[in-house]
Amino acid sequence: MLSSATAGEYSPKAGLVTLISFFQPDDRGLINDIPVLRVTRQGPDALHFVQTPLEPGSEVQLVLDWDRRFDHMQQHSGQHLITAIADLMFGFKTTSWELGRQRSTIELDTPSMTADQVAALEQSVNDRIRARIPVVVRELAVGDPEVELVRSRGLPDDHTGPVRIISIEGVDANMCCGTHISNLSDLQMVKLLGTEKGKKNKTNLVFLAGNRVLKTLERSHATEKSFTSLLKTGPEEHVEAVKRLQNSLKLLQKSNLNLLRDLAILTAQSLKNNLDQEPILVLHRKDGDSEFMNIIANEIGAGETLLFLSVGDERAAGLFLLAGPPEAVEKLGPRVAELLEGKGAGKRGRYQGKATRMSRRPEVEALLRTFVSEQSTEQ
């Protein structure tokens, strides 16, 4: 949703946001129907990057992408609240945070956090939201003694003007230049998704706030409905149903592998019968693998016959193996890989690799037959 703003005079230094937060993504919107691609901070100014130049001093219409702005407000204010309560309850200091596209992360200065601590923190955070505590923005002079009493990571080197303080009444006061809600009730709720191991013996706490909780619930419910339809079981049985499918798949894969090995041996025995009549043996199997090719090559053994094996989609990517007299394989192997637009390596009479153009296998066979013919003529 885009919300319109009043008309005003265009200045390259005027902004959709008055200041850009260190950790909050910038706003998006339109200036006279021209998309704003990016907004960055340069000292006290908000610099806008647009697709088409605008005339300084001209009257313009600003349109803000409110959905994006409000989402950032909810996540940022949610971070302030979680950070404050985590410090009050457990003494866990926030050292950094990231406002992600789908979920956000707070880096806490603690090596670990128990499940009970996460649950207690979530409960306390949501208690504050239900209490409808106001969030107040104040501006103080740089030399004001009150500035020293608030939580802060320090001012940037190029800072000018007043210091902006975000206060959650009775909970927290923090120096910040991001956009925020005006009351904790606007957060709706906060969901802590758990923790992840962070850098330098720290813990990353993952969270959602506001509309992101609803959107995540909607996606999860849609996924749950799909699983119910596919697995033919209720949600409480999904995990066990998937485990049964995984076990069945493992058994089928093992059985298929054994059958493929047996087939490779039988195929090799069949090919052996043609060794005396054919100087070149060519075989392709779509559902084979590298082991299938190597079993055949091992069963046939070293000899004067050139063996060209391939597996995979006949018209896409796959694997190949060239076996035979070491000198011939050493010479032909790189040329085979080049024809198949792939890469390979080899030693001691074998050259194998990956190909991206299996459809050129007939060209490889022609190359091999030409080579054998030339060798026979020379002898």
Side-chain angles (χ1 to χ4, degrees), residues 78-365:
Q79 175 267 317
H80 277 225
L81 179 59
I82 297 168
T83 286
I85 302 302
D87 190 8
L88 288 171
M89 292 182 69
F90 310 114
F92 297 159
K93 304 294 183 182
T94 291
T95 51
S96 181
W97 84 288
E98 179 186 12
L99 200 168
R101 291 186 177 183
Q102 291 191 334
R103 63 179 201 168
S104 299
T105 305
I106 298 173
E107 183 184 73
L108 296 174
D109 193 7
T110 177
S112 63
M113 192 172 181
T114 67
D116 287 342
Q117 287 175 323
V118 172
L121 176 59
E122 180 179 279
Q123 178 66 48
S124 183
V125 164
N126 284 294
D127 285 345
R128 273 25 178 236
I129 293 173
R130 285 189 291 272
R132 297 178 295 174
I133 299 173
V135 178
V136 180
V137 178
R138 294 181 297 149
E139 292 186 351
L140 304 176
V142 173
D144 193 316
E146 191 174 348
V147 172
E148 302 299 323
L149 302 178
V150 303
R151 186 165 51 84
S152 170
R153 292 172 58 86
L155 291 169
D157 295 335
D158 59 351
H159 172 267
T160 60
V163 178
R164 193 162 175 267
I165 307 299
I166 308 299
S167 297
I168 303 174
E169 292 186 4
V171 178
D172 182 52
N174 183 26
M175 190 184 300
C176 181
C177 56
T179 55
H180 289 270
I181 56 175
S182 60
N183 190 290
L184 288 186
S185 62
D186 292 330
L187 287 177
Q188 298 168 274
M189 74 170 298
V190 164
K191 178 60 186 175
L192 303 183
L193 299 179
T195 61
E196 299 172 351
K197 185 175 178 59
K199 299 178 181 179
K200 299 180 179 179
N201 207 30
K202 295 179 181 179
T203 296
N204 293 331
L205 179 64
V206 184
F207 76 94
L208 303 171
N211 289 335
R212 290 195 182 190
V213 179
L214 299 176
K215 290 178 180 179
T216 300
L217 178 60
E218 184 178 359
R219 287 195 300 268
S220 297
H221 182 59
T223 300
E224 183 181 276
K225 287 177 64 178
S226 296
F227 274 126
T228 297
S229 176
L230 291 169
L231 299 173
K232 310 300 180 186
T233 63
E236 65 282 355
E237 299 175 356
H238 284 174
V239 174
E240 288 303 318
V242 170
K243 286 181 179 179
R244 289 194 298 270
L245 286 175
Q246 287 179 325
N247 291 334
S248 297
L249 179 61
K250 288 179 181 178
L251 291 174
L252 288 172
Q253 288 174 331
K254 185 177 180 179
S255 177
N256 184 61
L257 182 59
N258 290 333
L259 289 173
L260 197 60
R261 287 170 178 168
D262 292 341
L263 179 61
I265 294 173
L266 291 173
T267 302
Q269 291 173 351
S270 176
L271 291 174
K272 278 184 180 181
N273 297 329
N274 298 320
L275 287 179
D276 295 335
Q277 294 84 14
E278 288 288 341
I280 300 173
L281 294 177
V282 178
L283 176 70
H284 177 80
R285 187 169 186 88
K286 185 175 182 178
D287 58 354
D289 57 13
S290 180
E291 185 179 13
F292 176 81
M293 295 189 297
N294 279 291
I295 289 175
I296 292 177
N298 290 336
E299 287 292 321
I300 292 178
E304 296 301 314
T305 301
L306 276 174
L307 180 64
F308 175 55
L309 305 174
S310 57
V311 295
D313 193 324
E314 296 92 335
R315 297 187 178 278
L319 305 174
F320 70 90
L321 184 149
L322 180 68
E327 290 184 3
V329 171
E330 184 178 353
K331 184 176 182 179
L332 292 167
R335 296 173 64 185
V336 171
E338 183 179 359
L339 277 174
L340 297 176
E341 297 184 16
K343 294 182 179 180
K347 59 182 178 180
R348 294 194 295 272
R350 288 195 189 180
Y351 189 98
Q352 59 189 103
K354 295 181 179 179
T356 60
R357 290 283 299 278
M358 295 300 287
S359 59
R360 301 186 68 179
R361 288 180 297 107
E363 297 177 46
V364 173
E365 184 174 350

Side-chain angles (χ1 to χ4, degrees), residues 28 36 69 82 332:
R28 292 290 189 273
V36 176
R69 162 73 78 84
I82 297 168
L332 292 167

Side-chain angles (χ1 to χ4, degrees), residues 18-29:
T18 54
L19 285 173
I20 309 301
S21 169
F22 292 122
F23 301 105
Q24 180 175 321
D26 54 343
D27 280 334
R28 292 290 189 273

